[in-house]
Amino acid sequence: MKERIVEIDLMKVMMKRLIITGSTLRPRETPFKQTIAMNLEKYVWPYLEKGEIKPIVYKVFPLEEASRAHILMENSQHIGKIVLSVS
C-alpha cells in the first residue's frame, strides 16, 4: 500500500471538536481477529438484536447515488452514519 500525505487544517478540527482516529486489523493474526469476532457476537450482537443499542443513521442512499452520499459526507453537516443500500 502506498503511503499518502494529507494536509489537515487543525483549526477546523479543533473548532468542530473532532476526534481523529485510525485503526486497521489487516496486519493482525487471524486468531486475534477471530477472537474479536467471537466477542462481538457474544457481547455486542445481543444488544443490537434486542434494539437496546443501535447505530445512528443519518440518511440512506441507493448504491446508484453513492456520489451524492459522498458529497454529504464531505460536507460534514450530518450526525450519524451515511448508508448505501443495495437492492
Side-chain angles (χ1 to χ4, degrees):
M1 187 163 108
K2 186 176 179 182
E3 196 172 303
R4 232 174 68 165
I5 297 174
V6 178
E7 289 188 29
I8 298 173
D9 183 345
L10 292 178
M11 187 56 72
K12 284 184 181 179
V13 172
M14 291 187 297
M15 295 296 289
K16 291 187 175 192
R17 296 183 177 174
L18 300 177
I19 298 170
I20 300 173
T21 64
S23 66
T24 179
L25 291 176
R26 204 170 300 168
R28 302 305 287 259
E29 298 292 325
T30 300
F32 179 82
K33 293 185 233 184
Q34 289 171 329
T35 300
I36 290 174
M38 288 187 300
N39 284 329
L40 276 170
E41 186 176 10
K42 183 176 180 180
Y43 297 110
V44 177
W45 255 236
Y47 292 105
L48 291 168
E49 288 173 343
K50 293 183 221 167
E52 293 179 20
I53 60 171
K54 51 187 156 187
I56 298 170
V57 176
Y58 182 79
K59 189 162 185 176
V60 178
F61 289 91
L63 184 58
E64 299 78 26
E65 295 182 25
S67 60
R68 285 187 52 221
H70 200 272
I71 291 168
L72 175 61
M73 183 181 66
E74 287 177 338
N75 289 338
S76 296
Q77 299 298 312
H78 65 286
I79 295 176
K81 301 296 179 189
I82 299 169
V83 178
L84 295 176
S85 66
V86 180
S87 53

